[in-house]
Amino acid sequence: MSKLIIILISLTLLVSCHDRNKSPQNAEMERFLDRLLKEMTLEEKLGQLNLPAAGDITTGQAQSWGIAQKIREGKVGGLFNISSLEKIREVQRIAVEESRMKIPLIIGMDVIHGYRTVFPIPLGISSTWDLELVEKSARIAAQEATAEGICWTFSPMVDISRDPRWGRVSEGNGEDPYLGSRISEAMVRGYQGDDLSANNTMLACVKHFALYGAAEAGRDYNTTDMSRIRMYNEYLPPYQAAIDAGVGTVMTSFNEIDGIPATANKWLMTDLLRDQWGFDGFVVTDYTAINEMINHGMGDLQQVSALALQANVDMDMVGEGFLSTLQKSLDEGKVTLAQIDQACRRILKAKYRLGLFEDPYRYCDEERSKTEIFTDAHRQFAREIAASSFVLMKNEDSVLPLKKGGTIALVGPLADNTENMPGTWSVAADFSQSTSVRKGLEAAAGNDVKILYARGSNVVQDTLFDSRISIFGKPTYYDTRDPAVMIREAVAAALKADVVVAAVGESAEMSGEASSRSDISLPECQRDLLKALLATGKPVVMVLFSGRPLTIPWEAAHVPAILTVWYPGTEAGHAIADVLFGTVNPSGKLSATWPQNVGQIPLFYNHKNTGRPLAPGTWFQKFQSNYLDIPNEPLFPFGYGLSYTTFTYGDLKISKEQLSGEDTLTASVDLTNAGPYDGAEVVQLYIRDLVGSVTRPVKELKGFRKVFLKAGETQTIAFKITPEDLKFYNYDLEYDWEPGDFDIMVGSNSADVKSARISWQR
Ligand code: BGC
């Protein structure tokens, strides 16, 4: 097809592309795709299924060479993780000017929690329990990324995980399917907006489909195995929520499911995703996931590539198995041309919906890249969402908020570090642009407060371990001095101060991909520092950085104030200062349970009762389900988080005790801000289905409201409950509710609720 014809077709489309959801436009698109596919050679079609690595970052072993030549030859469908507008313009130019078919490339990136302006890691964002903020974070990320050539993000990551040893819990939304689903939808809406062809919206990609967060022993890339009933009720809902919200693409996961890797799992990719859920976008593999099926023991490259295509996987990330073997498989009758055409068509369709055929440079906008990226407004938002994500775990004797006066000793290995503030997956971030805790505190303190800084300890006192966690431009600045000398320096600062702020925890690369830990406590050298600081008798505030729930029972018992800040992003230091000085009252709540020790893992609030449940409030009972050496309770439960003010809950009121059919139940509480500060509280609704045809969890989150109350104010918070909220997948995997008794619970976290029993009959 000549360039002229492409231009003519594009012009026709330009006139008629206002609303693509209307069928004449769809018909137009289908005709356009028919014509295109007719013109393409088999090699060019396979080229569209190929997503090689571009080179800015690599996460696996495979490398691709000679990208420009490959693009000219029509062997590349898209590229990803290039953070340079110039480079993107150039590769796009080669595609649309120098390749025979002149098909534009789709340009992807791991825009996971912001683009140049970095927001907190997803686990932090999920701790805001604020869906407006969540959606806005994705909207801003899309606005920034699309100005610099990126039109496809590998987000949202919605893998449910109950295992904090797994480093990638940092990338997800915690342990709960309901909260995870609401966040999943909000992210898709934020990225894709109402019109995918607008120059500031982008295609989202829900990942990693599926069950990646259930890796055995919390070890990354490990096997998963679970019953269908658990999958459907507990692990699959957030992926489905993204599909229902119209997500354009899906990424396969590395793990196997029922003995077949997700990337070749026909049940998963066809029966469930396409047939049951009606997904009509395209599926991309994870990084070299096709090739890795050789190690899984599924065959050689030709075989595993054919299996992936047969399963309904469309695009091959990095490994080039499709490009190098599908022709042979076609010749040998192992795959069909219809299968290749279908995959190719889905990818072309996404490009069409993005408007790339109309204007391949639609997302390359020098002007926008100068005015819409890293703006004051975006940074202000980053500060707001970061402060909202912090979880106040403990605040004995109201150590916090700090007074704006006197002397603060600021210590800890993360107190004066900028590079670690964005956390994992910040491909486009300029690390030098984020604010350290030290800078943030100094800016907020002005002349009113004296700040004495001392490092106090390393992140880990082990050079080999340190070398593993100081990669991707996020140094820990390992200090070779004697640890005792560092501690002495910190203690000297503490002795001169009124209060100590200790910025401790994990460095950014201690969580994220391929960062599993078997011991998730605070490194010993940091605990030694805390012990020495506490021994001074000065009040100590622990500002805790982490990408996962940590096991910190000692710290929780001894340190008077603990503020968990995850990795807050670009505005870390300012947001931390806002909360420490009380300009912002903390309102984050945990989206994952914090265990007391690793032996309790997996530990999650929505567990089953078992036949031998432990009596509430007790520890050990022989022949009950418990441990000899530790209580069943977590250190901090799901949904937990304190405030500087005190919220009191009135009695739970329910509109009826006996309900039937499609009735609606109203459950309400009077929430009072009984403390001295204005603040926000996340009111949580849980339901327990007491008897089922299959066993049901002891409680399940079914709603939440984040409300802001002025000091002294009372508001009635009401939840409407319908049979829809009682539904679950039964043994036959039918989604329905069953009549019977239910406990309705409302409270401030999963372990602190007011409860009422109701009966609901058909
Ligand atoms: C990760 C994905 C990511 C991809 C591309 C993989 O290693 O598992 O989450 O999107 O790399 O960078």
Side-chain angles (χ1 to χ4, degrees), residues 516-528:
S516 295
R517 294 177 67 198
S518 70
D519 174 357
I520 52 171
S521 61
L522 203 66
E524 207 180 332
C525 57
Q526 297 193 48
R527 195 171 316 151
D528 288 346

PDB file of all heavy atoms in Angstrom, residues 516-528:
ATOM      1  N   SER A 516      12.549 -10.372  46.719  1.00  0.00           N
ATOM      2  CA  SER A 516      11.901 -11.094  47.813  1.00  0.00           C
ATOM      3  C   SER A 516      12.851 -11.128  49.005  1.00  0.00           C
ATOM      4  O   SER A 516      14.069 -11.128  48.837  1.00  0.00           O
ATOM      5  CB  SER A 516      11.557 -12.522  47.386  1.00  0.00           C
ATOM      6  OG  SER A 516      10.598 -12.491  46.362  1.00  0.00           O
ATOM      7  N   ARG A 517      12.271 -11.133  50.198  1.00  0.00           N
ATOM      8  CA  ARG A 517      13.091 -11.251  51.416  1.00  0.00           C
ATOM      9  C   ARG A 517      12.497 -12.350  52.298  1.00  0.00           C
ATOM     10  O   ARG A 517      11.280 -12.439  52.427  1.00  0.00           O
ATOM     11  CB  ARG A 517      13.085  -9.927  52.210  1.00  0.00           C
ATOM     12  CG  ARG A 517      13.758  -8.759  51.529  1.00  0.00           C
ATOM     13  CD  ARG A 517      13.633  -7.482  52.381  1.00  0.00           C
ATOM     14  NE  ARG A 517      14.385  -7.553  53.620  1.00  0.00           N
ATOM     15  CZ  ARG A 517      14.175  -6.753  54.680  1.00  0.00           C
ATOM     16  NH1 ARG A 517      13.231  -5.837  54.650  1.00  0.00           N
ATOM     17  NH2 ARG A 517      14.906  -6.876  55.770  1.00  0.00           N
ATOM     18  N   SER A 518      13.383 -13.132  52.917  1.00  0.00           N
ATOM     19  CA  SER A 518      12.877 -14.166  53.822  1.00  0.00           C
ATOM     20  C   SER A 518      12.756 -13.608  55.236  1.00  0.00           C
ATOM     21  O   SER A 518      12.023 -14.133  56.066  1.00  0.00           O
ATOM     22  CB  SER A 518      13.815 -15.371  53.822  1.00  0.00           C
ATOM     23  OG  SER A 518      15.033 -15.026  54.455  1.00  0.00           O
ATOM     24  N   ASP A 519      13.462 -12.531  55.489  1.00  0.00           N
ATOM     25  CA  ASP A 519      13.396 -11.865  56.787  1.00  0.00           C
ATOM     26  C   ASP A 519      12.943 -10.438  56.512  1.00  0.00           C
ATOM     27  O   ASP A 519      13.669  -9.670  55.871  1.00  0.00           O
ATOM     28  CB  ASP A 519      14.804 -11.887  57.410  1.00  0.00           C
ATOM     29  CG  ASP A 519      14.877 -11.084  58.701  1.00  0.00           C
ATOM     30  OD1 ASP A 519      13.857 -10.467  59.081  1.00  0.00           O
ATOM     31  OD2 ASP A 519      15.958 -11.066  59.323  1.00  0.00           O
ATOM     32  N   ILE A 520      11.741 -10.096  56.952  1.00  0.00           N
ATOM     33  CA  ILE A 520      11.223  -8.769  56.607  1.00  0.00           C
ATOM     34  C   ILE A 520      11.205  -7.843  57.823  1.00  0.00           C
ATOM     35  O   ILE A 520      10.342  -6.995  57.979  1.00  0.00           O
ATOM     36  CB  ILE A 520       9.830  -8.862  55.950  1.00  0.00           C
ATOM     37  CG1 ILE A 520       8.866  -9.689  56.801  1.00  0.00           C
ATOM     38  CG2 ILE A 520       9.935  -9.453  54.546  1.00  0.00           C
ATOM     39  CD1 ILE A 520       7.418  -9.630  56.322  1.00  0.00           C
ATOM     40  N   SER A 521      12.186  -8.056  58.692  1.00  0.00           N
ATOM     41  CA  SER A 521      12.297  -7.154  59.836  1.00  0.00           C
ATOM     42  C   SER A 521      13.217  -5.992  59.471  1.00  0.00           C
ATOM     43  O   SER A 521      13.816  -5.962  58.400  1.00  0.00           O
ATOM     44  CB  SER A 521      12.844  -7.909  61.048  1.00  0.00           C
ATOM     45  OG  SER A 521      14.131  -8.413  60.736  1.00  0.00           O
ATOM     46  N   LEU A 522      13.335  -5.044  60.372  1.00  0.00           N
ATOM     47  CA  LEU A 522      14.249  -3.924  60.168  1.00  0.00           C
ATOM     48  C   LEU A 522      15.682  -4.458  60.293  1.00  0.00           C
ATOM     49  O   LEU A 522      15.975  -5.200  61.229  1.00  0.00           O
ATOM     50  CB  LEU A 522      13.989  -2.896  61.272  1.00  0.00           C
ATOM     51  CG  LEU A 522      14.399  -1.462  61.000  1.00  0.00           C
ATOM     52  CD1 LEU A 522      13.559  -0.864  59.875  1.00  0.00           C
ATOM     53  CD2 LEU A 522      14.242  -0.634  62.261  1.00  0.00           C
ATOM     54  N   PRO A 523      16.561  -4.119  59.361  1.00  0.00           N
ATOM     55  CA  PRO A 523      17.934  -4.619  59.475  1.00  0.00           C
ATOM     56  C   PRO A 523      18.540  -4.309  60.849  1.00  0.00           C
ATOM     57  O   PRO A 523      18.270  -3.241  61.438  1.00  0.00           O
ATOM     58  CB  PRO A 523      18.658  -3.878  58.353  1.00  0.00           C
ATOM     59  CG  PRO A 523      17.592  -3.582  57.355  1.00  0.00           C
ATOM     60  CD  PRO A 523      16.347  -3.320  58.155  1.00  0.00           C
ATOM     61  N   GLU A 524      19.351  -5.234  61.317  1.00  0.00           N
ATOM     62  CA  GLU A 524      19.864  -5.168  62.690  1.00  0.00           C
ATOM     63  C   GLU A 524      20.587  -3.857  62.991  1.00  0.00           C
ATOM     64  O   GLU A 524      20.441  -3.288  64.081  1.00  0.00           O
ATOM     65  CB  GLU A 524      20.810  -6.347  62.907  1.00  0.00           C
ATOM     66  CG  GLU A 524      20.883  -6.763  64.339  1.00  0.00           C
ATOM     67  CD  GLU A 524      21.835  -7.934  64.526  1.00  0.00           C
ATOM     68  OE1 GLU A 524      22.002  -8.732  63.571  1.00  0.00           O
ATOM     69  OE2 GLU A 524      22.424  -8.025  65.618  1.00  0.00           O
ATOM     70  N   CYS A 525      21.365  -3.371  62.025  1.00  0.00           N
ATOM     71  CA  CYS A 525      22.136  -2.146  62.308  1.00  0.00           C
ATOM     72  C   CYS A 525      21.203  -0.968  62.563  1.00  0.00           C
ATOM     73  O   CYS A 525      21.520  -0.070  63.355  1.00  0.00           O
ATOM     74  CB  CYS A 525      23.109  -1.840  61.163  1.00  0.00           C
ATOM     75  SG  CYS A 525      22.332  -1.653  59.565  1.00  0.00           S
ATOM     76  N   GLN A 526      20.030  -0.990  61.918  1.00  0.00           N
ATOM     77  CA  GLN A 526      19.083   0.105  62.151  1.00  0.00           C
ATOM     78  C   GLN A 526      18.402  -0.047  63.509  1.00  0.00           C
ATOM     79  O   GLN A 526      18.106   0.925  64.194  1.00  0.00           O
ATOM     80  CB  GLN A 526      18.049   0.139  61.043  1.00  0.00           C
ATOM     81  CG  GLN A 526      18.646   0.422  59.663  1.00  0.00           C
ATOM     82  CD  GLN A 526      17.577   0.766  58.648  1.00  0.00           C
ATOM     83  OE1 GLN A 526      16.717   1.587  58.902  1.00  0.00           O
ATOM     84  NE2 GLN A 526      17.639   0.150  57.480  1.00  0.00           N
ATOM     85  N   ARG A 527      18.166  -1.307  63.884  1.00  0.00           N
ATOM     86  CA  ARG A 527      17.570  -1.514  65.207  1.00  0.00           C
ATOM     87  C   ARG A 527      18.557  -1.111  66.309  1.00  0.00           C
ATOM     88  O   ARG A 527      18.175  -0.521  67.318  1.00  0.00           O
ATOM     89  CB  ARG A 527      17.115  -2.958  65.387  1.00  0.00           C
ATOM     90  CG  ARG A 527      16.192  -3.061  66.587  1.00  0.00           C
ATOM     91  CD  ARG A 527      15.523  -4.392  66.731  1.00  0.00           C
ATOM     92  NE  ARG A 527      15.018  -4.890  65.484  1.00  0.00           N
ATOM     93  CZ  ARG A 527      14.903  -6.186  65.216  1.00  0.00           C
ATOM     94  NH1 ARG A 527      15.269  -7.084  66.106  1.00  0.00           N
ATOM     95  NH2 ARG A 527      14.420  -6.593  64.070  1.00  0.00           N
ATOM     96  N   ASP A 528      19.833  -1.405  66.078  1.00  0.00           N
ATOM     97  CA  ASP A 528      20.853  -0.984  67.063  1.00  0.00           C
ATOM     98  C   ASP A 528      20.825   0.532  67.219  1.00  0.00           C
ATOM     99  O   ASP A 528      20.947   1.070  68.322  1.00  0.00           O
ATOM    100  CB  ASP A 528      22.249  -1.423  66.596  1.00  0.00           C
ATOM    101  CG  ASP A 528      22.424  -2.928  66.712  1.00  0.00           C
ATOM    102  OD1 ASP A 528      21.577  -3.568  67.400  1.00  0.00           O
ATOM    103  OD2 ASP A 528      23.367  -3.466  66.104  1.00  0.00           O
TER     104      ASP A 528
END
